[in-house]
Amino acid sequence: MKFLAQAYQNADAFSGSELENLEGRLHLMAAHPGFQAYKEVSYGLLELSPESHVADVACGLGFDLPHLKALVPRGAVTGFDLSAKFLASAKARIQAAARGIDASIHFQQSDIKALAADTGAFDAVRIDRSLQHIPEPEVAIAEMLRIVRPGGILCAAEPDWGSFVIASSAPEIATKIAAVYACALVNPRIGRDLVDLIGTQTELTHHSVHSLLFESLADLNRMCVLGDITARSVEAGVITSSENARFWQDLEERDRAGRCFANLNIHLVSGRKP
């Protein structure tokens, strides 16, 4: 299949086991304590009241929508996503968990650069780990701000793949492999750019950096698609086959000894619309 970092840009091009693979990784991330921790902070930054209307843009499988709905019991939540398949999965899972349809949770297929919503329709808007895949992120941020009312909040959480570190006894090989992953993304360092992208259009209200720690080889393979990264590193001539074998032998030894880990920083930034 396509490199995972690129596949999420057009999830509807996939079906069957490939689509299940994409969705499966999103499920794993949603269950990871590091992801859950920064997400919980992001909800609080939205300054929601029980009557608020809040949007989750590029919501994917909609994991955040029920959490947001719990904060706005008399309000409404809208999940926007380009992928009709992701939205269908989100809707089915949320309705099954609620044992019925909640008319105050809406699902809207929409391009992030032309969101199907009125100007100022929402009290707050958030986006999570999606600007890394979107060309011209400043255009996407301007469109999200369009649908927020004056005084409302925009919140974004994005990784800085320049911070991605894989523990290795051959750090020069690990650094090359991490660089291959970053090069597959449209905006690999979007996390560090958020302060400027949001801060030039809003009054900044928050900036924090959160560590995503992956502590096993299984997690690295499942959530960071490390096998895909290393195979592509060899294919591109960035590392040799013998360097790849050396890298993996070290990872496996570290995993058996409980010393395997990788770390990625997530920047969380919010701002108030003037």
Side-chain angles (χ1 to χ4, degrees), residues 43-241:
Y43 305 149
L45 296 175
L46 297 172
E47 300 183 5
L48 300 174
S49 73
E51 296 81 15
S52 291
H53 286 226
V54 57
D56 193 34
V57 176
C59 69
L61 298 181
F63 294 113
D64 297 298
L65 303 183
H67 296 279
L68 294 171
K69 185 62 184 78
L71 297 172
V72 294
R74 297 187 296 278
V77 178
T78 300
F80 293 93
D81 203 274
L82 184 62
S83 169
K85 292 179 179 179
F86 277 179
L87 287 175
S89 293
K91 186 174 183 179
R93 193 190 70 259
I94 291 171
Q95 290 182 355
R99 297 185 179 180
I101 296 172
D102 184 339
S104 64
I105 298 181
H106 310 286
F107 304 87
Q108 179 68 57
Q109 185 180 11
S110 189
D111 189 317
I112 193 173
K113 294 181 181 178
L115 292 168
D118 292 337
T119 298
F122 295 95
D123 298 295
V125 176
R126 71 182 295 277
I127 188 168
D128 191 341
R129 306 193 324 275
S130 294
L131 292 172
Q132 61 182 321
H133 303 304
I134 297 170
E136 299 181 304
E138 67 280 2
V139 176
I141 288 172
E143 177 63 0
M144 286 188 286
L145 278 171
R146 180 187 68 79
I147 67 171
V148 179
R149 64 168 173 80
I153 296 292
L154 168 65
C155 181
E158 293 292 335
D160 177 0
W161 285 98
S163 73
F164 187 42
V165 174
I166 307 168
S168 175
S169 299
E172 71 284 357
I173 300 174
T175 298
K176 292 178 182 178
I177 291 168
V180 168
Y181 195 103
C183 287
L185 292 153
V186 176
N187 302 307
R189 292 166 177 80
I190 186 69
R192 70 180 70 172
D193 293 336
L194 281 180
V195 165
D196 289 335
L197 286 169
I198 294 177
T200 55
Q201 302 187 63
T202 71
E203 173 193 348
L204 283 178
T205 55
H206 179 87
H207 178 210
S208 56
V209 181
H210 302 257
S211 174
L212 294 179
L213 184 63
F214 306 99
E215 297 182 273
S216 72
L217 188 52
D219 278 355
L220 278 171
N221 267 327
R222 289 181 296 184
M223 284 184 271
C224 300
V225 289
L226 192 58
D228 193 5
I229 299 171
T230 56
R232 287 173 178 272
S233 297
V234 174
E235 182 182 334
V238 175
I239 61 172
T240 65
S241 295

